[in-house]
Amino acid sequence: MASGSLNTCTVQKSRALLNRVHILFHFTAILTLLYYRISNLFHGNVPLVSWAVITISELIFTFLWILTQAFRWRPVVRAVEMENLPEDDKLPGVDVFICTTESNKEPVVEVMNTVLSAMALDYPSDKLAVYVSDDGRAPMTLYAIKEACEFARSWIPFCRNYGIKNRCPDAYFSMSDDSERHVWSDEFKGEEQKIKLNYEKFKKNVDKDTEVEDSDRPDRPAYVEVIYDNSKNEGLEDNQSKMPLLVYVSRERRPSHPHHFKAGALNALLRVSGIISNAPYTLVLDCDMYCNDPTSAKQAMCFHLDPKISGSLAYAQFPQVFYNVSKNDIYDGQARSAYKTRYQGMDGIRGTVCAGTGYYLKKKALYCRPSHEDEFLSEAEKNFGRSSQFIDSLMTLNGKPVNKRENLSVAIIEEARSLASCTYEDNTEWGKEIGYSYDCMLESTFTGYLLHCKGWKSVYLYPKRPCFLGCATIDMKDAMVQLMNWSSALVEAGLSRFSPLTFGMSRVSILQNLCYGYFMFSHFFSVPCFLYGIVPQLCFLYGIPLYPKVTNPWFAAFATVFISSLCQHLYEVLSSGGSVSTWWNEQRIWMIKSVTACLFGCLDVFFKWLGIAKASFRSINKSIDQEKLQKYEKGKFNFKGAKNFMIPLILLVLLNLVCFIGGIRGLIHRRNVEEMFGQGFLSLYIFVLSLPILEGLIPKLSN
C-alpha cells in the first residue's frame, strides 16, 4: 500500500460553535414561551380548550426540535486520497446489487443504463460483479440485460480508452456541453459516432421488446442466469476490453409466502452472490440511480481499507443527487436539508443513516457484530440455512483472502436457484439477526439503525462530483406517495420494540439516538401543524386571543422563537449553497408535506394497528411524462392524481382564507389589534405560503 492517509475527517468547528450558541439561545426562548403558556393554562383566565390544544402542539414542536439539534452538534466533512490505495490486484472484490420490480413503472432502458454504468466502474474487472434482481420476472428485462451486455462490449472499452467519466450512455449522449469530449481527434469522433449508433440500436431493440410483453407473475420458480462470466477475461490481452461478471436473478415468488419486498430481494442477492463471486463488499443501487463517477468504488475503499476505522466500519454512504431537479425545485427533490446538513451532522457522531442506495457495505456487518465474526457460525445451518456452499463462503469474509472462484458449473447455478427460493429462509435468522431486517419497510435505513445498535459505524462522503445521479419525482402525487411510504414505515418502527426511546437508548450514543429518533418521529410534525392550521385561525375569526399583546414583554418570547427558527433555516440553506428562493420553497413544501403525506403516513400506522390496513409498499412511476415535466420546470404544482392527499390541505387553506378575511373584519370592528396581532400575522404567513398552492388547486376544484 502506498504511504499516506487514505482519508481525512475535518470537524466544521465554526459551524458547530455557531450551532451550539443558537441551540442555547433558542432553547432559552422556548422555555420562556412554555412557561408563559403552561402557567397561564393552569392559573390564568384563558379559554381552556384552545389553549390546551396549542400548548400540546408547542410541546410536540419542542420535543421534535430537541431531536433535531443532535444533527447540528458536530458536523464533519470527509475527503479521500485515492492515490494512497494499494495496487488494483490487491483491492477487495465488490458486488453491485441493482433491484427492479415493475417494468411498467421503471423504464427498462433506464434500468439498463444503471447496469451499464455499474459495469463500467473504474475497478478491476475480475473483482467486480453486477447482480440484477428482477422481482417482476419480466422476460423483457432478461432480454434487455442481454442486449446491454452486448452493447457493453464496445461501451466499456470506449470509456476506458478515452477516460470518459460519465459512463451512463444515455447521460453521456444527452450532454449539452463538451466537458467530457476533451479528445477531439478524428479517431475519437469516429469511435464516438460508432458507439452512438450502437446505443441507438440497443435502445430501439429494447423499446421494441417492451411493447410486446409486460407481465408480472406472482407465482413462479426462482431463476438465475449468468449473462457474462468474467472468467472469459483470462483469454483477453487487452485489459480495457475486460468486463465484470453479470448475473440476472429472479427469486421465487409464491402467493402463500411473504416476499418481504426489497429486503427479501437483497437477502436473496447476498446468498446468490456468496456462492458465485463472494466479494466482501457490496454496492447497493436503486434501478434509476446510475454511477456518475467511475471512481466511487475506490473512494469507498479509502474508508474500508483504512486500518484505523475498517474494523468497525459497516458502510460508506454517498448522497443521492438528482439530475432532473429544476432551478426552483418546488417539491424539494434534492432533499438539501438531509444530504447537506443532517447527514454531515450525523457523520460526526459515529455515523450517518443508510439512505437505501449509493452505499458500499461490508457484507460481514450483516452477519455479526464487530470483532464477533463467528457468533452465528457455531450453529450455521440454523442461522444461515441448509446450503453448505453458502456457509463455506462466509468463512472467507472473516478477514481471510477470498478463494479463487470455481467455474460456474450447472451445479452452482442450481444451488443459486435454491438460495433464491422462498422457502430457503424458513426457520432461519434471515430478516431477524441475519441480513437485511424484515421489521421495517425501509429495509436499508432500519438495517443501518440496527447495525449502529450492534456497534458498527458508518461514514458519509459528499464529493464535488456526484458519484451517483438519480431521477427525482416531478409531480405532487409521486412525491406524496413516496413520502407516505417513508413516514408510515419509520413511524411504525419508532413505535415498535426497536424504538430509539427504548431499544436504542442503551446501544448507541445519546446524540446518535436523538438523530434516529428524529427520523422516526419527525412525521408527527403533522399533528401540531394540522392543529396550528385550525385552532389559531378559528380563534382569530372569533376574536379569542391565544398570544400575549404585542406590547406585552412575553410576546418577545414567541417572536424570538419564530424569527430564530426562520433565521437558522435560512443560514443552513445559504451556507450549503442554496438561495433565499430555496429557503422559501422548502418552507412551503414542508408545510404541504406535513399536513398531507406525513399525516396520512401516521394514519396508515394507526389503521394497521387496528387491523384495517395491511403492510404494503406503494410504488411510484419513474417514467418521465412531458406534461408533468413542463409544469415542474415552470415552477407550477401539479396536483393531478393527488386529490385524496390534498383534502386536508384544501380544507386548511380554505379555512385559513375564510378566517383571515373574517378576522380582519373583526379587528376593524373590535379594534383589538394588539391582542390579535400574533394570530393575524400567523394567518397572513400561512396565506402567503398558500398562494402558489391555490393557483394549482383552484382549477382542480372547479373541475
Side-chain angles (χ1 to χ4, degrees):
M1 181 181 291
S3 60
S5 175
L6 288 172
N7 61 81
T8 59
C9 179
T10 305
V11 179
Q12 297 177 291
K13 294 182 179 179
S14 58
R15 180 177 162 189
L17 178 61
L18 190 60
N19 285 342
R20 294 176 188 184
V21 171
H22 177 264
I23 290 171
L24 179 62
F25 170 76
H26 193 82
F27 192 50
T28 302
I30 288 177
L31 291 178
T32 305
L33 182 155
L34 292 177
Y35 174 80
Y36 171 83
R37 184 69 76 188
I38 294 173
S39 60
N40 277 275
L41 179 64
F42 288 102
H43 304 293
N45 184 21
V46 296
L48 184 62
V49 175
S50 57
W51 269 66
V53 171
I54 291 300
T55 302
I56 292 172
S57 299
E58 289 167 350
L59 286 171
I60 297 174
F61 276 134
T62 301
F63 169 70
L64 296 175
W65 177 84
I66 291 173
L67 297 180
T68 312
Q69 303 321 299
F71 297 106
R72 300 182 172 123
W73 192 255
R74 190 178 180 269
V76 300
V77 174
R78 297 185 186 269
V80 295
E81 304 290 341
M82 287 187 289
E83 62 271 15
N84 293 329
L85 281 171
E87 298 297 325
D88 283 1
D89 60 345
K90 295 181 181 179
L91 290 174
V94 174
D95 291 336
V96 183
F97 294 167
I98 301 171
C99 297
T100 182
T101 52
E102 301 178 62
S103 55
N104 60 326
K105 292 187 177 181
E106 297 169 343
V108 179
V109 171
E110 189 172 323
V111 177
M112 292 306 112
N113 269 274
T114 300
V115 173
L116 287 163
S117 69
M119 293 179 68
L121 283 172
D122 183 15
Y123 209 74
S125 296
D126 60 331
K127 298 189 177 184
L128 183 65
V130 179
Y131 293 82
V132 179
S133 171
D134 178 17
D135 262 4
R137 186 62 175 98
M140 55 183 285
T141 304
L142 179 58
Y143 170 79
I145 198 172
K146 291 179 179 179
E147 288 288 308
C149 181
E150 190 62 32
F151 172 70
R153 294 177 187 273
S154 57
W155 172 247
I156 293 177
F158 170 73
C159 292
R160 290 173 178 166
N161 287 330
Y162 295 104
I164 303 298
K165 289 184 178 180
N166 194 340
R167 299 191 178 183
C168 171
D170 196 67
Y172 175 80
F173 291 118
S174 302
M175 287 190 306
S176 57
D177 60 72
D178 296 322
S179 58
E180 291 276 11
R181 298 179 176 90
H182 56 278
V183 184
W184 283 104
S185 65
D186 292 337
E187 180 185 3
F188 170 78
K189 288 187 286 186
E191 187 72 15
E192 183 187 48
Q193 185 62 29
K194 180 181 177 182
I195 298 294
K196 187 174 183 179
L197 291 174
N198 287 343
Y199 180 62
E200 293 298 329
K201 180 181 178 182
F202 157 73
K203 284 203 304 180
K204 184 178 180 181
N205 290 341
V206 173
D207 287 336
K208 181 180 179 181
D209 191 71
T210 302
E211 297 172 0
V212 175
E213 206 276 336
D214 180 16
S215 62
D216 180 8
R217 294 178 288 173
D219 190 2
R220 60 175 188 269
Y223 184 79
V224 178
E225 181 177 344
V226 176
I227 307 300
Y228 183 82
D229 183 356
N230 59 355
S231 64
K232 298 176 182 178
N233 292 336
E234 295 178 2
L236 298 175
E237 296 182 0
D238 182 13
N239 288 331
Q240 308 289 24
S241 300
K242 293 181 178 180
M243 299 206 306
L245 177 72
L246 180 60
V247 182
Y248 173 87
V249 179
S250 181
R251 59 192 173 118
E252 182 182 16
R253 294 281 294 272
R254 303 297 181 192
S256 58
H257 283 76
H259 61 89
H260 301 297
F261 304 98
K262 186 179 177 181
L266 288 172
N267 283 338
L269 289 179
L270 284 170
R271 296 191 295 271
V272 170
S273 66
I275 67 168
I276 295 180
S277 53
N278 198 29
Y281 299 98
T282 181
L283 164 63
V284 179
L285 289 176
D286 282 347
C287 64
D288 62 338
M289 184 71 63
Y290 68 83
C291 301
N292 185 60
D293 188 337
T295 67
S296 65
K298 290 185 176 180
Q299 292 185 49
M301 290 306 121
C302 287
F303 298 106
H304 281 298
L305 299 182
D306 185 349
K308 296 178 182 178
I309 62 174
S310 61
S312 59
L313 181 63
Y315 58 88
Q317 177 69 62
F318 291 85
Q320 292 189 57
V321 183
F322 303 98
Y323 61 82
N324 64 331
V325 172
S326 68
K327 184 178 180 180
N328 284 329
D329 191 20
I330 55 175
Y331 300 114
D332 191 27
Q334 64 181 338
R336 182 212 54 81
S337 61
Y339 297 116
K340 292 188 177 181
T341 302
R342 296 192 185 114
Y343 278 44
Q344 289 181 340
M346 202 172 179
D347 191 22
I349 46 177
R350 295 179 63 86
T352 190
V353 69
C354 186
T357 183
Y359 62 94
Y360 284 85
L361 171 76
K362 181 188 297 178
K363 288 184 181 179
K364 186 171 66 175
L366 296 172
Y367 304 140
C368 64
R369 293 174 294 161
S371 303
H372 292 76
E373 288 84 356
D374 299 326
E375 63 178 325
F376 290 110
L377 288 175
S378 57
E379 298 182 37
E381 285 197 20
K382 178 181 177 182
N383 294 317
F384 293 98
R386 60 187 179 273
S387 173
S388 59
Q389 292 186 48
F390 177 70
I391 293 172
D392 289 342
S393 73
L394 296 174
M395 304 297 181
T396 63
L397 300 180
N398 293 342
K400 302 175 184 177
V402 178
N403 296 328
K404 187 176 180 180
R405 173 171 60 84
E406 299 178 7
N407 291 329
L408 294 175
S409 62
V410 175
I412 290 180
I413 300 302
E414 284 301 318
E415 182 70 8
R417 291 174 181 173
S418 173
L419 289 167
S421 66
C422 58
T423 58
Y424 181 83
E425 296 180 352
D426 292 351
N427 302 315
T428 68
E429 291 300 314
W430 283 100
K432 303 169 189 173
E433 296 290 340
I434 303 296
Y436 286 87
S437 175
Y438 296 154
D439 289 304
C440 179
M441 298 288 285
L442 285 181
E443 73 298 318
S444 296
T445 300
F446 188 70
T447 299
Y449 165 64
L450 294 180
L451 291 178
H452 283 136
C453 288
K454 291 178 180 179
W456 292 100
K457 298 178 182 178
S458 62
V459 296
Y460 177 65
L461 180 64
Y462 199 116
K464 290 183 179 179
R465 179 184 175 92
C467 286
F468 307 99
L469 285 177
C471 181
T473 54
I474 58 171
D475 73 332
M476 186 65 76
K477 177 188 175 183
D478 287 339
M480 294 297 104
V481 168
Q482 189 177 61
L483 182 57
M484 182 179 171
N485 285 335
W486 295 342
S487 59
S488 175
L490 289 171
V491 169
E492 191 171 13
L495 298 178
S496 71
R497 65 185 181 92
F498 297 104
S499 172
L501 300 180
T502 54
F503 183 85
M505 193 65 70
S506 61
R507 292 173 171 84
V508 297
S509 67
I510 182 64
L511 291 176
Q512 195 175 35
N513 203 47
L514 290 176
C515 292
Y516 274 113
Y518 173 82
F519 283 119
M520 294 186 188
F521 297 119
S522 62
H523 306 284
F524 284 120
F525 266 125
S526 58
V527 177
C529 283
F530 194 74
L531 294 175
Y532 244 82
I534 295 176
V535 177
Q537 281 67 31
L538 290 175
C539 291
F540 182 58
L541 177 63
Y542 292 104
I544 303 173
L546 292 177
Y547 302 96
K549 292 182 179 181
V550 70
T551 54
N552 189 325
W554 288 104
F555 183 82
F558 290 85
T560 299
V561 170
F562 180 76
I563 296 173
S564 173
S565 297
L566 294 183
C567 289
Q568 172 69 13
H569 182 205
L570 181 60
Y571 162 72
E572 290 180 347
V573 170
L574 296 178
S575 63
S576 60
S579 62
V580 175
S581 176
T582 303
W583 168 76
W584 183 251
N585 285 334
E586 287 186 8
Q587 287 277 319
R588 183 174 58 205
I589 197 63
W590 178 81
M591 183 191 74
I592 294 174
K593 290 179 176 179
S594 294
V595 298
T596 53
C598 290
L599 180 63
F600 280 107
C602 294
L603 290 175
D604 187 54
V605 174
F606 179 66
F607 291 145
K608 289 177 186 175
W609 180 69
L610 291 178
I612 299 175
K614 294 182 179 180
S616 62
F617 195 84
R618 305 158 190 85
S619 59
I620 62 173
N621 194 343
K622 297 181 181 179
S623 301
I624 300 297
D625 182 279
Q626 289 302 317
E627 182 182 351
K628 294 179 182 178
L629 182 61
Q630 290 175 2
K631 276 191 173 183
Y632 173 66
E633 291 177 343
K634 292 178 181 178
K636 295 182 178 181
F637 286 102
N638 184 359
F639 295 98
K640 185 177 181 180
K643 184 184 297 184
N644 293 335
F645 282 110
M646 293 298 109
I647 290 175
L649 181 64
I650 294 171
L651 294 176
L652 289 179
V653 170
L654 294 178
L655 176 66
N656 183 81
L657 183 61
V658 171
C659 292
F660 180 69
I661 296 173
I664 294 297
R665 294 180 62 185
L667 283 180
I668 297 173
H669 178 71
R670 291 187 295 269
R671 297 182 180 180
N672 58 342
V673 176
E674 289 186 359
E675 283 185 324
M676 305 304 296
F677 179 83
Q679 285 151 261
F681 181 81
L682 178 63
S683 294
L684 178 63
Y685 176 72
I686 296 176
F687 177 72
V688 174
L689 278 177
S690 305
L691 285 176
I693 304 170
L694 286 170
E695 181 184 354
L697 283 176
I698 288 174
K700 295 296 175 186
L701 292 174
S702 62
N703 292 334

